[in-house]
Amino acid sequence: MAIRDWPIKRKLTAILLLISGLVLLLTSAAFVTYEVVTFRQTIRSQLATRSRILAANSTAALAFANEADAREILGALKYDPHMVAAALYDRNGRILATYPAAPSADLIPAAPQPDGYRFEGGRLVGFTPVAQGENQRLGTLYIASDTKAVSDALRLSGVIAIVVLAIAMLAAYALAAALQGRISAPILALAETATAASTRQDYSLRAPKFGEDELGALTDSFNQMLGRIEEQKQELQQHATRLEQRVAERTKELERRALELQAANSELDAFAYSVSHDLRAPLRSIDGFSQVLLEDYAAQLDQAGRDSLQRVRAASQRMATLIDDLLKLARVTRTEMRTERVDLSGMAREIVLDIQRTSPDRQVEFAIAPGLEAQGDSRLLRVVLDNLLRNGWKYTGKQPQPRVEFTAVDENGDRVFVVKDNGAGFDMKYADKLFGVFQRLHSSAEFEGTGVGLATVRRIINRHGGRIWAEGIVDQGATFYFTL
Amino acid sequence: MNPGKILLVEDNPDDVTLTMRALKSHNITNDVVVAQDGVQALDYLFGKQGRSPADDLPAVVLLDLKLPKLNGMEVLQRIRSEERTKLLPVVILTSSDEERDVIDGYSLGANSYVRKPVDFVEFTKAAQQLGLYWLLMNRAPPSPRGP
């Protein structure tokens, strides 16, 4: 794991150990160095002291060049195991005696060197003047000691330093482990709270506070933030609840209205059904028995009587037509719309063929533009075209060259369908009455009709989300425009 | 076998009179049996309360839809569900022009659906054509074996 990914606890412990280790190491190095330097100085001065004593003892032997005495004096050095070699030189630099008695050549320099004590080639060597009185030099004493004592001392202080270092590091680790908690615990608690809050989305949690330091301030800020989130969440929830309530209320209201509408619709259905069934039956009786009278009692009736009966029959048949038209109008509102692509040109041609087939005696010129299409309910649109084309056909009845057109124009991006005739037309004063139920601008004597057709047409157009309007000039024709 | 009776199921006496007149005036001499509601019609076809039916089946049933007690659709349903009458020609003869009734009628197995015209001349023509067609031209289904 990379160091930056270590847990904070480990990082803190590592930092503490690193610092204390470094400090201890430097201290130990200083200690060992000081020990060694001090010890070298000590053994040098010891060697100097011993040399001076030995030199003082050697004056007689050297003054009389007594070799045996000199050798004896030097032989006392055997009690110090560190002493490696020694020699006495006379005034002329010749060797008078050596220790050990027969030393190897490299142990003892051939001639005395300048006075003094120094470490040389792993040994401590010293040249001490041997003098009688103040200024009468008799010769030189040479002593060589090994430095084992120094290395022993060095080893000892090294071992001490390592042991101290180890104990100190252990103590430092224990202390670090115990004390890092002061810093890491608040951070860990904060981290734990943050994680819990974000994973469980529980903003009522609060991080525990351990003190008034910067971490304490951070904990406070974090807790405040959680508090604000909690408040906002509650507010949001309240809003949502209120919204849900309102939606539920509205839904209920809508459902209630839908039920009402359904009830109204089924009432209307029942009404229409009963109209279609029950209102026609008496008409059939009226018409039927009038006909019976005309057939069976024609002899007893004069012309006026027969005429009256014919009028009764015509009226009842007219009422039947009215009922049928009204039912059609009601059905237009009730039937479900099925939207599809409708070929209006083809539909218009079929209607025209039907008109021409049922009334072959009239010659009306129909001009139907090809390729007119629309999106809508084909059955309802057929009712629209049927009404408009038949109207055109009907109201051109007194025209010597009757003509009906079905075309379309584009107006402000909207497709506007146009049915135009050159028939009776109408006065624009009454244009707004054109589409009302039972509204007629011509008498039945002039042109037959119930006044329901255009009302039906407008209702269908409205159900398609379109508009219908008309323009007319009396005796010159009418033009109907509609969009879908 | 008694050839060609018409069972007219019709509650309106005016309509009964006019229908009879229309049929008779065109030399359709067959007997017309009138049932004034759905129950009477079924009694005629299936017999009343355990008694066996009085006559053989009619050649055609002219059935109005809006009837007291049992309506025309219910009568038609019953006719089609009985072994004895399931092939019996039934013509719905009604004032209703509702698409719903037309669809329901055919769905339940009506052989024809005729709307009564208000114009009595037209009505007479329709009745005459119905009589001629169903009594003379149409080949009736074989009479079912008695129970």
Side-chain angles (χ1 to χ4, degrees):
Chain A
M1 200 195 302
I3 290 175
R4 64 163 178 275
D5 295 333
W6 282 6
I8 276 197
K9 273 183 175 180
R10 198 193 292 179
K11 271 185 200 155
L12 279 174
T13 310
I15 289 169
L16 287 172
L17 283 184
L18 195 67
I19 293 170
S20 46
L22 200 64
V23 168
L24 278 170
L25 208 63
L26 288 173
T27 315
S28 305
F31 161 72
V32 170
T33 312
Y34 173 75
E35 275 297 288
V36 168
V37 169
T38 319
F39 195 73
R40 277 163 67 122
Q41 278 170 358
T42 307
I43 61 169
R44 199 163 63 174
S45 67
Q46 277 173 359
L47 188 76
T49 310
R50 180 168 302 178
S51 295
R52 280 191 203 107
I53 293 169
L54 218 55
N57 289 343
S58 308
T59 45
L62 208 60
F64 298 103
N66 188 337
E67 234 187 281
D69 274 1
R71 202 174 295 129
E72 198 184 322
I73 288 164
L74 292 181
L77 287 174
K78 69 181 175 209
Y79 298 108
D80 187 340
H82 294 304
M83 293 304 145
V84 178
L88 268 173
Y89 302 86
D90 66 10
R91 193 180 294 145
N92 302 315
R94 279 181 295 127
I95 292 170
L96 183 67
T98 61
Y99 167 86
S104 51
D106 61 322
L107 273 178
I108 296 177
Q113 288 166 12
D115 295 343
Y117 306 93
R118 48 192 172 271
F119 288 91
E120 206 178 79
R123 296 196 197 103
L124 175 61
V125 299
F127 293 88
T128 316
V130 181
Q132 188 159 43
E134 271 304 296
N135 289 317
Q136 194 180 359
R137 183 158 185 158
L138 299 175
T140 305
L141 173 68
Y142 164 70
I143 290 183
S145 160
D146 66 18
T147 52
K148 225 175 137 251
V150 179
S151 52
D152 281 351
L154 182 64
R155 200 171 301 129
L156 182 64
S157 52
V159 168
I160 289 170
I162 287 169
V163 169
V164 168
L165 196 65
I167 291 171
M169 285 301 279
L170 271 176
Y173 178 76
L175 265 174
L179 292 181
Q180 52 83 18
R182 297 282 168 118
I183 293 171
S184 65
I187 297 178
L188 290 182
L190 205 58
E192 205 175 295
T193 311
T195 310
S198 80
T199 51
R200 276 186 281 150
Q201 305 208 332
D202 179 358
Y203 302 109
S204 63
L205 293 173
R206 292 292 178 270
K209 194 176 166 187
F210 291 81
E212 291 297 340
D213 58 354
E214 292 89 335
L215 283 172
L218 183 63
T219 307
D220 278 344
S221 308
F222 180 70
N223 283 341
Q224 275 173 15
M225 214 162 70
L226 279 182
R228 227 165 299 150
I229 293 178
E230 193 185 9
E231 273 170 36
Q232 283 171 356
K233 198 184 163 191
Q234 272 172 0
E235 248 170 74
L236 216 64
Q237 240 157 14
Q238 280 171 2
H239 278 304
T241 314
R242 242 174 287 154
L243 208 66
E244 268 169 38
Q245 271 174 358
R246 268 169 71 179
V247 168
E249 277 167 27
R250 290 280 159 88
T251 310
K252 226 182 200 171
E253 174 75 12
L254 276 178
E255 277 168 0
R256 198 176 56 74
R257 290 212 187 145
L259 274 179
E260 278 178 10
L261 204 66
Q262 216 172 8
N265 260 343
S266 59
E267 250 169 62
L268 196 70
D269 254 10
F271 174 73
Y273 188 77
S274 120
V275 164
S276 110
H277 220 275
D278 296 343
L279 243 53
R280 285 167 56 89
L283 289 176
R284 242 187 351 264
S285 297
I286 295 169
D287 187 78
F289 288 108
S290 303
Q291 180 64 16
V292 170
L293 280 176
L294 282 172
E295 282 174 10
D296 294 1
Y297 302 95
Q300 280 106 304
L301 288 169
D302 61 3
Q303 184 55 42
R306 285 196 294 275
D307 186 52
S308 299
L309 280 177
Q310 287 295 1
R311 281 170 194 260
V312 170
R313 287 198 64 208
S316 55
Q317 281 166 31
R318 183 164 162 71
M319 183 157 171
T321 314
L322 276 171
I323 290 172
D324 282 354
D325 283 356
L326 270 182
L327 282 175
K328 263 185 221 154
L329 179 64
R331 217 171 284 151
V332 158
T333 324
R334 284 189 293 141
T335 51
E336 209 175 300
M337 294 242 304
R338 269 168 305 205
T339 306
E340 60 191 327
R341 192 111 209 112
V342 182
D343 171 16
L344 292 180
S345 296
M347 194 178 264
R349 279 192 293 271
E350 285 168 21
I351 293 166
V352 166
L353 279 178
D354 190 55
I355 293 173
Q356 288 167 342
R357 200 180 55 240
T358 47
S359 316
D361 46 320
R362 276 201 57 202
Q363 294 296 319
V364 179
E365 182 192 350
F366 282 98
I368 293 166
L372 300 182
E373 283 191 340
Q375 199 74 22
D377 184 301
S378 68
R379 281 176 24 157
L380 293 179
L381 290 182
R382 182 175 289 272
V383 174
V384 168
L385 285 185
D386 193 83
N387 268 292
L388 293 179
L389 291 171
R390 274 182 207 279
N391 273 354
W393 175 85
K394 181 163 73 183
Y395 290 104
T396 50
K398 298 187 166 87
Q399 176 63 234
Q401 281 184 315
R403 181 182 158 86
V404 180
E405 284 172 30
F406 177 41
T407 54
V409 292
D410 285 320
E411 219 169 72
N412 304 327
D414 280 340
R415 183 123 260 228
V416 180
F417 297 98
V418 185
V419 179
K420 183 177 182 179
D421 65 61
N422 60 353
F426 60 90
D427 190 333
M428 282 299 277
K429 263 195 290 191
Y430 309 115
D432 56 325
K433 289 190 171 178
L434 220 48
F435 299 100
V437 185
F438 295 134
Q439 290 284 354
R440 300 213 61 215
L441 299 184
H442 301 274
S443 69
S444 292
E446 277 182 297
F447 296 102
E448 276 186 7
T450 53
V452 182
L454 285 178
T456 310
V457 166
R458 184 168 69 173
R459 201 164 283 196
I460 293 173
I461 299 289
N462 287 348
R463 278 198 79 184
H464 281 79
R467 278 183 318 124
I468 182 162
W469 66 100
E471 287 168 3
I473 301 170
V474 175
D475 289 334
Q476 287 191 32
T479 311
F480 288 84
Y481 303 91
F482 63 96
T483 62
L484 288 172
Chain B
M1 188 178 131
N2 196 349
K5 269 192 182 169
I6 291 175
L7 173 60
L8 175 66
V9 189
E10 174 62 72
D11 63 319
N12 183 342
D14 283 1
D15 274 5
V16 172
T17 310
L18 292 173
T19 309
M20 300 282 264
R21 186 184 161 92
L23 289 172
K24 292 224 165 89
S25 69
H26 285 85
N27 294 326
I28 297 166
T29 54
N30 305 75
D31 293 327
V32 176
V33 181
V34 176
Q36 281 168 2
D37 59 49
V39 175
Q40 276 187 18
L42 292 180
D43 284 348
Y44 175 79
L45 291 172
F46 301 114
K48 193 176 181 181
Q49 299 287 312
R51 267 182 272 158
S52 54
D55 284 298
D56 285 329
L57 287 180
V60 66
V61 179
L62 301 181
L63 183 63
D64 191 15
L65 286 184
K66 215 172 172 195
L67 295 169
K69 298 180 190 171
L70 279 179
N71 71 32
M73 291 297 178
E74 288 166 321
V75 172
L76 177 57
Q77 212 165 8
R78 180 74 200 284
I79 287 174
R80 287 293 174 252
S81 69
E82 293 285 334
E83 189 62 30
R84 182 175 140 83
T85 52
K86 69 176 182 191
L87 299 177
L88 181 64
V90 175
V91 174
I92 293 176
L93 185 63
T94 177
S95 303
S96 167
D97 195 23
E98 290 287 308
E99 191 177 270
R100 195 180 59 195
D101 284 339
V102 180
I103 291 171
D104 286 353
Y106 280 117
S107 302
L108 289 174
N111 299 76
S112 182
Y113 189 108
V114 176
R115 193 189 185 202
K116 296 176 192 166
V118 166
D119 184 336
F120 185 65
V121 177
E122 295 293 317
F123 182 84
T124 308
K125 257 190 235 166
Q128 173 207 12
Q129 279 174 11
L130 275 177
L132 284 176
Y133 178 79
W134 287 104
L135 295 179
L136 302 178
M137 288 178 74
N138 188 52
R139 161 82 154 87
S143 188
R145 277 164 295 171

